[in-house]
Amino acid sequence: MGMSFNPPYPAGTVIKGKWRGNRYVVQRVLGKGANGTVYLVQREGRREQYALKIGNDTLELQSEINMLTSLQSCKMRSEHRSRREMPLSSYLLESDDFGDTGNIPFYVMRYVEGRPLHHFLAKRGASWLGLIGMKLLEELNKLHVCGFVFGDLKPENVMVSDYGHAELIDYGGASPLGRSVKQFTEWHDRGFWNAGSRVGDESYDLFSFAVLCLRLLNEAGLKAAAGQLPQTRNVDELLKLARNLPDKQLGAWLCVALKGGFAGSAQAAKVWKEQIYSKRQQRMETMATPAWLKGAFALSLFVLVFTLYWVFF
Amino acid sequence: MKQILLITDGCSNVGESPVLAAGYAWREGIAVNVIGVVDEGTIGELGSREIADIAKAGGGLSRIVGTPQLAQTVQMLTRKTVVQTIQQAVNKEVHKILGESSLTQLPPEQRSQMVSVVDELTETSPLRVALLIDASASMKPKLAAVEDAVRDLALSLEARKGRSEIAVFHFPGRSGGEDAQLDLDFTGQIGQVRSLFPKLKMRGATPTGPAIFRVIEAFKGSGSTDEPRALLTGKEHDDREGMIGGYVV
């Protein structure tokens, strides 16, 4: 316990591990979560940047480290099996303690550069949702296959690079499948909407994912629905929002997710791929010809006819 | 594990000291959490000190929050206190076995194992929570938020793997002589708390201390004790408990 509400460490602070001896230099604060503060750091004497999380509470942080460790080993096994030549995307690089008394816990992870999903979409437009959603559903599925649920899925916990590469950050809310979800955010919580239990199952993450989409596409509508009395707050309100989206196929997908209708995240990802992600190319093919292009075409035809007439007659 | 969760908006003004009552509860193995709930303005220095003192004497945690944060706070405090209770028990064992003072000083591998045990027990050990709701007149406008918070707590407890039970009391009681009135006796059918609050009648005085004593009696009356030590040795639940659960007074 204790240790919470400390002011953040200033840039230049050196964090030296008690057990493993590695030294990290603080560059700036990346964010504050429920269980601690995340800093951008550099390994002393090296160029690479990492994200380093300092916990408020030894127990909570250790619990998170345990979860990341088993996730890591599960991921390594599956990557080994599929023999894919990809850089090991580490959730967890190392964990250690520091401080004068040596009992402030921290852990180091890969630094994911980018901006939170809601900022990204506000800037780039909703047309990116098909691609980003695809990646997120694949990430969730990987997590589920390893026996965990993410729990606290919301736009703030999704980092998107400038090129639309999305990653989940902050696994503090993750818990083993079948256990109670210990960290969640009102709007994204299935229980909040009277739409089911708070037991962490695959549908729980898919429900949060659906609310995330609604929030990105119609935040005002979601806010109005959430503002109702707890007794009358209802998943039907969310279904209505989903059906009213201009993209009907996305709306239909969201309705299934909100009702817990997918067998799991693998199926949900498959359907997303078929009906939302792949639809983009079709739309390109059937895209309406702009009026100016038709005009230009007509004009060039006319010029051609005129030229032919002029040449031959 | 046993907990009292007191939700109030100010100072007690009748009967024994609630801090003393909380001390008694803690001695009986019941942790006391307190949430001070404010609408506008603050709870006042006297009120906030009393809230902090009750929790300290009761071995629990306290927070002062506005109605929008109430549900989240109730859920969080209950969970934290469960973790804390188990952690204290585990720390005692760690001290006995390894001679280290606490979990935070253990080397990473051992700590990781201990925390797995704590996590497991947090999820699976039986838990009984008595909600004690201040129903004095000033609480009336906050009652919808309290109801939402109780519903939310029920959801979180239902999701646990271990057996969870809830009882609800409000104070002051219906007649002048009653310190706290039982609204729902300990029940594993947590869904019942949802149909509870239309019955509450708001009254003037705030006998917080006597109300806590009333709840301690209720814990004693309903049998089994799940001391943290017993959790570690896997002591089974008293059979009596299953039988008395599940009726609304």
Side-chain angles (χ1 to χ4, degrees):
Chain A
M1 304 281 130
M3 287 187 285
S4 49
F5 312 120
N6 281 341
Y9 294 97
T13 307
V14 177
I15 291 169
K16 183 177 179 292
K18 170 185 172 185
W19 307 97
R20 298 166 60 98
N22 285 323
R23 295 160 69 93
Y24 296 92
V25 185
V26 170
Q27 295 188 317
R28 64 183 168 89
V29 174
L30 286 173
K32 261 185 155 140
N35 308 340
T37 308
V38 182
Y39 296 88
L40 179 65
V41 297
Q42 215 166 7
R43 183 94 168 261
E44 204 178 54
R46 300 206 192 170
R47 278 190 55 215
E48 302 94 69
Q49 290 179 309
Y50 301 99
L52 184 150
K53 183 166 187 175
I54 296 178
N56 298 328
D57 180 298
T58 307
L59 197 130
E60 295 279 351
L61 199 79
Q62 185 63 51
S63 176
E64 202 173 314
I65 292 168
N66 285 357
M67 198 272 311
L68 289 171
T69 309
S70 37
L71 198 58
Q72 181 106 317
S73 59
C74 169
K75 221 182 158 200
M76 273 165 74
R77 277 198 304 276
S78 69
E79 270 167 19
H80 180 72
R81 253 204 311 275
S82 62
R83 296 188 189 285
R84 277 157 67 186
E85 290 293 320
M86 58 185 289
L88 186 70
S89 43
S90 312
Y91 291 108
L92 178 74
L93 290 149
E94 68 164 345
S95 63
D96 211 327
D97 301 330
F98 81 106
D100 297 333
T101 49
N103 57 8
I104 304 175
F106 71 88
Y107 71 82
V108 185
M109 24 176 189
R110 198 161 39 99
Y111 169 47
V112 180
E113 211 172 342
R115 66 181 81 212
L117 177 55
H118 50 305
H119 294 168
F120 181 90
L121 275 210
K123 193 162 175 255
R124 300 293 191 84
S127 56
W128 285 78
L129 188 61
L131 175 71
I132 291 169
M134 191 70 248
K135 176 75 193 315
L136 280 182
L137 288 169
E138 281 166 1
E139 286 289 305
L140 287 177
N141 183 238
K142 265 187 234 168
L143 202 61
H144 295 160
V145 167
C146 289
F148 290 94
V149 289
F150 188 75
D152 200 8
L153 183 61
K154 53 183 172 180
E156 291 84 349
N157 285 344
V158 180
M159 255 327 155
V160 189
S161 79
D162 286 346
Y163 309 105
H165 183 80
E167 298 233 25
L168 291 168
I169 60 163
D170 195 353
Y171 283 78
S175 53
L177 273 167
R179 293 297 169 97
S180 54
V181 175
K182 51 182 177 180
Q183 201 176 301
F184 50 87
T185 306
E186 274 189 351
W187 287 8
H188 300 270
D189 169 43
R190 186 167 64 184
F192 177 80
W193 293 100
N194 294 317
S197 78
R198 214 166 259 160
V199 175
D201 50 28
E202 297 193 20
S203 321
Y204 187 92
D205 276 345
L206 293 173
F207 184 94
S208 305
F209 176 88
V211 178
L212 172 143
C213 293
L214 288 177
R215 194 177 138 192
L216 293 167
L217 299 171
N218 183 5
E219 179 149 6
L222 184 63
K223 193 174 180 184
Q228 295 197 355
L229 285 172
Q231 304 91 310
T232 56
R233 204 189 292 134
N234 199 303
V235 69
D236 290 340
E237 297 292 319
L238 295 179
L239 294 172
K240 216 182 290 166
L241 288 177
R243 286 194 201 101
N244 289 339
L245 289 176
D247 185 337
K248 292 301 163 204
Q249 268 170 311
L250 176 62
W253 189 97
L254 294 179
C255 285
V256 179
L258 291 168
K259 286 191 281 196
F262 288 116
S265 52
Q267 194 203 11
K270 186 168 167 281
V271 177
W272 181 278
K273 189 167 189 177
E274 287 163 5
Q275 298 187 356
I276 294 146
Y277 170 81
S278 309
K279 200 183 55 184
R280 299 255 82 86
Q281 282 109 351
Q282 288 163 19
R283 184 174 288 180
M284 291 292 282
E285 285 159 17
T286 60
M287 197 162 63
T289 317
W292 66 266
L293 198 62
K294 285 179 186 164
F297 186 66
L299 184 69
S300 68
L301 265 185
F302 177 75
V303 173
L304 176 70
V305 170
F306 182 79
T307 314
L308 289 175
Y309 182 83
W310 190 75
V311 170
F312 293 103
F313 297 95
Chain B
M1 279 169 297
K2 293 177 284 190
Q3 289 185 21
I4 293 172
L5 180 67
L6 169 65
I7 300 176
T8 181
D9 71 343
C11 271
S12 63
N13 53 21
V14 186
E16 298 107 314
S17 151
V19 183
L20 173 70
Y24 268 86
W26 185 225
R27 236 205 79 78
E28 297 291 325
I30 307 164
V32 185
N33 289 322
V34 193
I35 296 177
V37 51
V38 285
D39 249 351
E40 280 142 29
T42 56
I43 226 162
E45 201 189 324
L46 216 60
S48 40
R49 198 186 314 142
E50 188 181 89
I51 284 165
D53 286 345
I54 297 172
K56 268 186 205 136
L61 302 162
S62 69
R63 290 282 189 285
I64 292 172
V65 296
T67 44
Q69 296 92 43
L70 187 63
Q72 211 187 352
T73 310
V74 165
Q75 195 267 134
M76 189 266 293
L77 280 196
T78 306
R79 205 188 102 77
K80 267 200 184 272
T81 307
V82 169
V83 174
Q84 194 173 296
T85 311
I86 289 166
Q87 190 181 2
Q88 280 158 357
V90 169
N91 272 344
K92 241 182 251 169
E93 296 299 305
V94 170
H95 188 63
K96 230 186 337 191
I97 300 163
L98 301 159
E100 296 279 357
S101 60
S102 79
L103 210 138
T104 53
Q105 261 115 34
L106 286 178
E109 285 91 71
Q110 278 155 308
R111 190 195 303 160
S112 158
Q113 285 168 11
M114 292 313 273
V115 170
S116 302
V117 173
V118 173
D119 277 349
E120 180 66 24
L121 289 173
T122 301
E123 176 78 14
T124 56
S125 48
L127 170 66
R128 313 178 79 201
V129 183
L131 292 149
L132 180 54
I133 292 152
D134 177 351
S136 56
S138 58
M139 278 292 287
K140 190 163 190 172
K142 297 158 200 155
L143 216 68
V146 171
E147 186 175 41
D148 192 20
V150 173
R151 188 195 69 93
D152 193 79
L153 178 66
L155 260 173
S156 279
L157 293 186
E158 265 175 339
R160 295 176 79 242
K161 272 269 169 289
R163 180 182 168 83
S164 305
E165 288 176 289
I166 268 189
V168 182
F169 297 82
H170 75 266
F171 66 99
R174 197 178 288 145
S175 57
E178 222 177 0
D179 299 321
Q181 193 186 325
L182 178 71
D183 298 302
L184 175 68
D185 204 351
F186 284 106
T187 174
Q189 281 138 331
I190 286 173
Q192 293 193 354
V193 297
R194 280 157 210 172
S195 55
L196 194 71
F197 282 104
K199 295 198 303 180
L200 282 191
K201 277 209 184 73
M202 302 292 140
R203 296 170 76 92
T206 313
T208 314
I212 293 176
F213 276 117
R214 167 75 181 85
V215 178
I216 298 173
E217 286 309 310
F219 267 110
K220 281 185 186 162
S222 65
S224 117
T225 53
D226 303 302
E227 298 306 323
R229 294 276 291 107
L231 293 173
L232 291 174
T233 54
K235 183 173 163 279
E236 277 300 305
H237 236 219
D238 195 329
D239 284 337
R240 226 151 65 80
E241 246 185 58
M243 289 161 58
I244 58 146
Y247 67 92
V248 186
V249 176

